Structure formats: C-alpha cells, structure tokens
C-alpha cells in the first residue's frame, strides 16, 4: 500500500499527521488508531515524513480524493446552476505587463508548480455535492505573438485576447480551475493574464497566489529546486472540518438570527422602476421588465477618494466607534436611500471566513455573502445611521458561517432562481507598498487592465485601501444605468462623504433627495440634480485645450479636468503611452526628465507647463490633434 493511499485513508478518518524536528506526530480522534493502523503508519514512517516535508512526489497512480464541498463552494455552485449565464461573471482575472528579459520556461514551470502545490486548482465539482481533488493536472500556457502586427491592429488584437481569456466560463467539473495566457507585444514586453473562479478563490487568496508565483519563478531562474519546500495547507481539510463543525445547534442559531434580521426587509434592496429615481429617458431599466439579474452586461467607473477626504472619513469613524468599512458603507447606503426614498434598505457585502493561521496561508474560497440592513428612522442623524449600520455589520459578522442564500430562499421562494443581491459594497485592505502584488526578478511588472464585461449585480462599489489611499470602481449593470448615471452616482458619493464628515449630526432627511426631481429634460444629463457638483476645471489656453481634445478622444469623455490625474479620469497605462506618443509626434522626444515629472502628477496642467518650459520649443506651433491615435484605446 502506497503513501498516498494511506494518507487518503487517514484523511477520511480525520487523522492528522505532521512533523516536528524530523519526528512524525499523529493526532487522531479517540479509538481511531487501531494496532493495525499504527503498524501501517510505522512501516511507512520514513516516506510519510518525506512527503510531509515536501521531499516526496505523489505517485503517478495515486487516486483522486473525494471530500465535501465547503459551504462557500456549495453556495457558489448552487448559484452557477440556477444562473449558468452568470458563470463568467464569477471569474477572477489578473493582468500584468512585464518588461524585460522574461524566462518563458521558468514562468511555465512556476505556474505548474503553483498548481502542484495548491490542490484547490486541481479540484472540481463532483457528484452529489462532493469535491474531487486530482493528483496531477497540467496547466496550459498558450502564447500569442503580436510583435509583427502594426498599431492599432496590435492593440485591438491584445484587447480581443484579454477579453476572450477573462470572459470564457470555467467548467467547474473539470480542472484546472486556473487559466493563463501570455501575449508577446514587443521584443522586451509581455502581457500575462491569469484567470480563476470564485469557486476556488477569494480576495485574500490573491496575495498568496501572486507571492507563490513570484517565488517559484525566482527559484527556477536561480536553479533552485522548490520541491524541498514544506507543503502548503490543503483547502479540502478546511472544507471537511467546516462541515463537521457547523451542525445541530450552531446551524440552528445562525439560521434563527438571519430569519429575524430579514423579517420585513426587502431582500433585493429593490430599486424603483425608473432606476435610482433618475428621470425617465436617462437609461431605461430593461432588466426590470425582463427579469431581475438576467442581463449581465456591465460597465465600470473608477473613483479615487482624495487624501484629505480619506482622513476625514477615518476621523469620523474613530469619533463614532466605527471602522472605515462601516463609515464608507453608511455613505453608500445613504446615497441609495436618498435616490430611492426607501425607509429600509439592504446591501450585500462579501466577508472572509478565514480563522486561524493555517487558513490565512491557504488559497481557496473562504468568502461568504451576507446582507446588511439599515432602517432609516425619521429625524435620525447621520451619526445615528452610522451606529445602526455598525451594529448590523457586527451582528452579521457573528453569524457568517451559514450559507445565506439558503435562508433567503426559504423566506422568499421567488429568489430560488435569482441571485440574492442587486447592490453590493466591498472594501479591500491592500498590501502596504505593493499595489501590483507580483514580483518577478529581472522584470518590471505593472498592472494591465482586465475589466470584466459581466456582473450579476445592478451596482457593485468596490474600494481598496493601499498605503492610506482609497481607490476603486463602481460596476453598474448596463441594462439598469447609463454611464452618465453611474458617473453621477460616483460624484454624488464623494460629495456625500464630504457632507457627512463636515456635519455628522445633520439629519438624514435634510439631505438632497436625488430621486425627487423627475422634471429634468430628456438628454440633459444628471447635472441638473447634482448636489454641489465638484467643479471641473476645463483646459485653459491653446496648448492645454489641444491636449484636452486628445484626452477627450482617448478617454471617451466629453469633459476632462485640467487638474485631475489622467488615470483618475479613466485612463490606464496603454492609453497613457498612446497619449504621450501623440504629444511626441508634434513636440519631439519629451525626454526622461519631462516623463518623470509628468509621472508624478499626470495632469493636463503639468504636461502643458513642461512643454512650455522647454525654451527650444517655445516658438514652434502648438500641438495639433493627431488622427493616428484615434483608435489606440486598449
């Protein structure tokens, strides 16, 4: 009998093996370790120690292992079965631009090692709600060489490859549930796209995956053998323990909490027929007529919360005994309430169910959806509402184990064929000092945009705090809102944050009711009803205006702000390169000094000032719009 067969049998018996100082340590439930089983463990002790220390490969003939799905996986699988068209909406994509001498073989081997070490990528859905873990699975790494393509054809093909990679649904019954694609865009420039699925992955798995990939790439480049590393925790162990612990009274108590918490609440966080109270004609709510949640096309609007406002929000949170999450969520719910007029509002969020050091080191699906409810009492102040949201969040987090969708479907049978949320709010805490997360020796690694084109939600506000800065995006259902409406929501959210930080004792009812202005003429935009809209500083002078016209075309925005960052207005690295190439076509090489200063503050004002400061160009004609860049968007 081989090591793998014995280990699988011990796993079924809940016998845990580990090593301590080269010794084999065995923990087992009472009565499980029979004399016969002890003898088999003793005979295979040297090989068991080697396996646990990562020095022994699994047998090629090792059988698949079968265990239970985690509660999170059962929830995700149930939704995927009800809404198969939403499968790609649950993909988790990552894109990176690599500059330098890439070792393709080392990257390929590193990806295979990631799959070998982390069983969750080798797992898949099995029969009767089981989880099957395969002993070996190969991960393809297709290569697309676009170096010979001229622009803008190369950028268009890159977009097509990236969109196809992140938009292809996973078959959750066939591993690996990880996808990788490499695109060669220039002699020393590559784009790497990774995609996985929430069935095996959550937000806090991201730094684990990227760190593992970077470290294994470094090992292979340096000629080190990663097989001597200690094994990582297995997700299947967590799933089995969770199923064993969440039974009987524990399950009954959590279910009773959610039944009481949801009594009388609108589980969908329903929105009025004219979405969010916007005037008719500014975006018809087609999905409301065809069935909620069935249309999945989405768009994205980025936002950046200024440092001064972030500090003000943190001060409000501290003075109220709340967290940054509570305060940002309160502002989001308050914005929705002022649009809809609802006195009871529910918003979904995603929380992690990781407990203990071992779980923090495990790649897997630990997240759970929970619904947070806020009741808007007449005359309540903003600080009162913050206290209500804080209390609701704390109570919900104490009951986060139970599959929330199951309780919701019991209370509202119509939800059995619909996703449980329409509106979401999520706050991520990023790793300090490293927004990219992936480090590959000898290469400069930058983020490459990989926006998803499907979402099961009407509104999904996701913020990330990294090094004290708050940035994020609003994903909106294109059948519910137009881009102009989504941009208006983002602006109003920022204005509302300023308002509540300035006067948290202000009555909620005294704030502008955005949905109460149905008289705005069709096509006039939402600016008529915006409360104190932040001023847009238009470009001034011929040079700024020429740059502004170029930015408008590249960014797809009618108005651009001379003092706002190119990236805060929807730009990304490829668009920035296209824009700078257009400037150089008219003005000549910008030089490293100009580029460095512009990188620190990428605004129209900065670029125009840098151009004007170059004395040898001062008397030449101003920059004209370059038609060659009109299709350079990526």
């Amino acid at each position: 009998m081989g090591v793998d067969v014995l280990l699988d049998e011990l796993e079924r018996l809940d016998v845990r093996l580990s090593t301590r100082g080269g010794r084999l340590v065995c923990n087992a439930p009472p009565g499980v370790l029979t004399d016969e089983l002890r003898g088999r463990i003793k005979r295979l002790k040297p090989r068991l120690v080697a396996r646990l220390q990562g020095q022994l490969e699994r047998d090629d003939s090792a059988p698949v292992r079968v265990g239970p799905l985690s509660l999170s996986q059962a929830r995700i699988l149930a939704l995927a079965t009800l809404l198969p068209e939403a499968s790609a909406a649950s993909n988790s994509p990552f894109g990176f631009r690599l500059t330098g001498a890439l070792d393709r073989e080392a990257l390929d081997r590193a990806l295979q090692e990631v799959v070998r070490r982390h069983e969750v990528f080798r797992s898949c859905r099995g029969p009767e709600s089981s989880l099957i873990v395969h002993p070996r699975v190969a991960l393809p790494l297709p290569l697309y060489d676009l170096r010979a393509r001229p622009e803008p054809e190369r950028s268009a093909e890159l977009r097509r490859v990236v969109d196809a990679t992140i938009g292809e649904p996973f078959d959750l019954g066939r591993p690996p549930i990880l996808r990788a694609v490499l695109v060669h865009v220039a002699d020393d420039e590559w784009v790497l796209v990774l995609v996985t699925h929430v069935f095996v992955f959550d937000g806090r798995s991201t730094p684990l995956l990227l760190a593992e990939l970077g470290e294994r790439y470094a090992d292979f480049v340096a000629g080190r053998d990663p097989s001597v590393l200690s094994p990582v925790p297995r997700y299947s162990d967590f799933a089995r323990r969770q199923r064993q612990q969440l039974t009987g009274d524990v399950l009954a108590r959590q279910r009773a909490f959610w039944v009481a918490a949801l009594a009388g609440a609108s589980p969908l966080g329903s929105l009025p027929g004219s979405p969010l109270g916007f005037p008719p004609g500014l975006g018809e709510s087609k999905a409301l007529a065809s069935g909620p949640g069935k249309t999945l096309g989405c768009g994205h609007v980025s936002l950046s919360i200024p440092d001064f406002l972030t500090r003000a929000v943190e001060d409000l949170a501290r003075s109220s005994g709340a967290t940054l999450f509570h305060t940002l969520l309160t502002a989001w719910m308050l914005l929705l309430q002022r649009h809809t007029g609802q006195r009871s509002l529910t918003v979904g969020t995603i929380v992690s169910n990781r407990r203990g050091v071992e779980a923090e080191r495990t790649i897997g699906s630990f997240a759970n959806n929970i619904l947070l409810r806020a009741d808007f009492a007449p005359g309540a102040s903003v600080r009162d509402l913050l206290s209500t949201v804080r209390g609701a969040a704390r109570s919900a987090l104490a009951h986060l184990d139970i599959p929330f969708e199951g309780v919701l479907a019991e209370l509202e049978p119509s939800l059995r064929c619909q996703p449980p949320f329409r509106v979401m709010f999520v706050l991520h805490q990023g790793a300090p000092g490293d927004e990219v997360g992936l480090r590959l020796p000898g290469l400069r690694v930058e983020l490459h945009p990989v926006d998803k084109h499907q979402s099961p939600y009407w509104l999904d506000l996701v913020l990330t705090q990294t090094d004290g800065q708050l940035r994020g995006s609003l994903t909106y259902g294109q059948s519910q809102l137009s881009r102009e409406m989504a941009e208006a929501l983002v602006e109003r959210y920022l204005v509302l944050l300023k308002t509540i930080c300035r006067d948290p004792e202000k009555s909620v009812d005294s704030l502008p009711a955005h949905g109460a202005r149905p008289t705005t003429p069709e096509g006039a935009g939402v600016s008529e009803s915006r409360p104190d809209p932040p001023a847009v500083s238009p470009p001034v002078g011929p040079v700024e205006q020429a740059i502004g016209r170029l930015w408008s075309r590249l960014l797809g925005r009618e108005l651009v702000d001379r003092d706002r960052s190119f990236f805060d207005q929807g730009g990304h690295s490829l668009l920035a390169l296209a824009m700078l190439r257009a400037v150089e076509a008219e003005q000549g090489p910008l030089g490293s000094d100009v580029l460095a200063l512009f990188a620190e503050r990428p605004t129209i004002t900065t670029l125009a000032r840098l151009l004007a400061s170059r004395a040898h160009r001062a008397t030449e004609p101003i920059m004209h719009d370059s038609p060659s860049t009109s299709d350079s968007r990526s």
Side-chain angles (χ1 to χ4, degrees), residues 279-303:
L282 288 180
E284 297 301 329
S285 185
K286 300 174 185 176
L288 291 174
S290 61
K294 295 296 185 180
T295 38
L296 301 170
C298 67
H300 309 272
V301 175
S302 61
L303 73 154

Side-chain angles (χ1 to χ4, degrees), residues 170-187:
F170 279 97
D171 179 354
L172 300 182
R174 177 179 298 177
I177 305 183
L178 179 66
R179 186 180 302 138
V181 166
L182 187 63
V183 185
H184 205 169
V185 294
D187 288 342

Side-chain angles (χ1 to χ4, degrees), residues 416-428:
R416 293 182 186 275
C417 297
Q418 299 175 9
F421 306 115
R422 295 295 177 267
V423 179
M424 292 287 287
F425 175 84
V426 178
L427 174 64
H428 293 303

Side-chain angles (χ1 to χ4, degrees), residues 189-212:
E189 196 169 350
W190 315 70
V191 171
L192 172 66
V193 180
L194 303 175
V195 189
T196 182
H197 191 277
V198 295
F199 183 70
V200 298
F201 201 81
D202 62 8
R204 289 169 71 172
S205 295
T206 301
L208 299 175
L209 169 62
L210 299 183
E212 178 81 61

Side-chain angles (χ1 to χ4, degrees), residues 323-550:
T323 65
L324 182 64
F325 170 79
H326 298 147
T327 311
L328 293 169
L329 171 61
T330 297
W332 178 235
M333 298 183 83
L334 182 54
L335 177 65
L336 297 174
Q337 194 277 333
R338 301 317 291 161
H339 272 279
T340 64
Q342 293 178 219
R343 283 296 176 181
S344 179
L345 198 80
T346 53
V347 170
T349 191
I350 301 174
V351 295
S352 176
N353 199 12
R354 294 173 181 260
R355 296 172 183 173
V357 176
E358 188 174 84
E360 293 294 342
R361 296 174 49 230
T362 306
I363 295 178
S365 179
F366 292 84
N368 194 10
N369 285 340
I370 61 173
L371 188 145
L372 302 177
R373 171 181 174 179
D375 295 319
F376 293 77
S381 68
V382 170
R383 201 184 296 275
D384 292 335
L385 178 62
L386 176 55
S387 178
T388 298
V389 172
R390 178 191 63 193
R394 288 179 174 177
S395 296
L397 290 174
H399 302 84
L400 59 80
D401 295 304
I402 191 170
F404 176 77
E405 286 82 347
V407 178
L408 200 59
E410 290 180 31
L411 297 177
E412 180 56 61
S414 65
L415 297 183
R416 293 182 186 275
C417 297
Q418 299 175 9
F421 306 115
R422 295 295 177 267
V423 179
M424 292 287 287
F425 175 84
V426 178
L427 174 64
H428 293 303
Q429 301 290 328
D434 191 2
E435 288 188 32
V436 176
L438 178 63
R439 298 181 180 182
L440 302 176
L443 294 165
R444 185 173 79 248
V445 183
E446 302 171 289
L447 291 177
H448 181 83
V450 286
D451 287 336
K452 296 195 296 183
H453 301 297
Q454 286 189 342
S455 173
Y457 309 118
W458 289 346
L459 291 170
D460 184 9
L461 178 60
V462 179
L463 298 175
T464 300
Q465 185 180 40
T466 304
D467 291 335
Q469 292 186 319
L470 275 170
R471 295 179 181 173
S473 67
L474 174 65
T475 300
Y476 60 96
Q478 291 173 325
S479 293
Q480 284 76 38
L481 302 180
S482 66
R483 181 174 181 85
E484 292 77 15
M485 295 158 69
E487 289 176 340
L489 283 179
V490 167
E491 291 184 9
R492 290 173 179 178
Y493 181 65
L494 296 176
V495 171
L496 188 57
L497 277 176
K498 297 176 186 177
T499 302
I500 67 174
C501 289
R502 186 184 307 119
D503 185 7
E505 308 306 329
K506 192 179 187 67
S507 169
V508 168
D509 293 332
S510 67
L511 296 169
H514 299 300
R517 293 178 181 248
T519 58
T520 304
E522 181 174 346
V526 296
S527 59
E528 294 288 331
S529 59
R530 293 179 187 174
D532 302 321
V536 174
S537 301
V540 176
V543 175
E544 286 191 9
Q545 289 172 354
I547 298 173
R549 287 191 293 272
L550 174 61

Side-chain angles (χ1 to χ4, degrees), residues 111-369:
L111 287 166
Q112 308 308 320
E113 187 67 9
V114 167
V115 174
R116 186 191 73 82
R117 283 172 53 79
H118 295 272
E119 67 164 27
V120 72
F121 296 123
R122 294 181 276 109
S123 65
C124 65
R125 166 186 51 81
E128 299 180 355
S129 299
S130 63
L131 181 69
I132 296 178
V133 181
H134 293 258
R136 290 182 180 277
V137 174
L139 175 67
L141 181 61
L143 172 67
Y144 295 84
D145 192 342
L146 307 183
R147 287 176 293 175
R149 302 281 188 96
E151 284 290 2
E153 180 184 334
R154 181 169 58 218
S155 293
E157 180 64 11
L158 175 60
R159 281 199 306 275
R160 188 198 65 77
V161 171
V162 171
D163 289 346
T165 302
I166 67 178
E168 181 183 353
F170 279 97
D171 179 354
L172 300 182
R174 177 179 298 177
I177 305 183
L178 179 66
R179 186 180 302 138
V181 166
L182 187 63
V183 185
H184 205 169
V185 294
D187 288 342
D188 63 345
E189 196 169 350
W190 315 70
V191 171
L192 172 66
V193 180
L194 303 175
V195 189
T196 182
H197 191 277
V198 295
F199 183 70
V200 298
F201 201 81
D202 62 8
R204 289 169 71 172
S205 295
T206 301
L208 299 175
L209 169 62
L210 299 183
E212 178 81 61
L213 177 59
E215 291 165 5
R216 301 294 74 80
Y217 178 84
D219 286 339
F220 288 118
V221 167
R224 296 188 293 265
D225 182 7
S227 66
V228 301
L229 297 171
S230 300
V232 295
R234 303 197 307 191
Y235 180 76
S236 58
D237 292 342
F238 159 79
R240 188 186 66 255
R241 289 194 301 271
Q242 185 189 53
R243 289 288 188 173
Q244 292 171 345
Q245 294 167 2
L246 194 61
T247 57
D249 291 343
V250 176
L251 188 63
R253 284 196 301 270
Q254 293 210 18
R255 182 187 178 283
F257 165 81
W258 284 111
V259 170
L262 294 173
S266 170
L268 295 180
S270 59
L271 306 178
S274 180
L276 291 177
F278 279 104
L282 288 180
E284 297 301 329
S285 185
K286 300 174 185 176
L288 291 174
S290 61
K294 295 296 185 180
T295 38
L296 301 170
C298 67
H300 309 272
V301 175
S302 61
L303 73 154
S304 178
I305 299 179
D307 291 346
F308 79 89
L309 185 52
T310 299
R311 291 191 296 270
V313 174
E314 291 173 335
D315 289 343
L316 174 59
R318 279 191 295 268
S319 67
S320 303
T323 65
L324 182 64
F325 170 79
H326 298 147
T327 311
L328 293 169
L329 171 61
T330 297
W332 178 235
M333 298 183 83
L334 182 54
L335 177 65
L336 297 174
Q337 194 277 333
R338 301 317 291 161
H339 272 279
T340 64
Q342 293 178 219
R343 283 296 176 181
S344 179
L345 198 80
T346 53
V347 170
T349 191
I350 301 174
V351 295
S352 176
N353 199 12
R354 294 173 181 260
R355 296 172 183 173
V357 176
E358 188 174 84
E360 293 294 342
R361 296 174 49 230
T362 306
I363 295 178
S365 179
F366 292 84
N368 194 10
N369 285 340

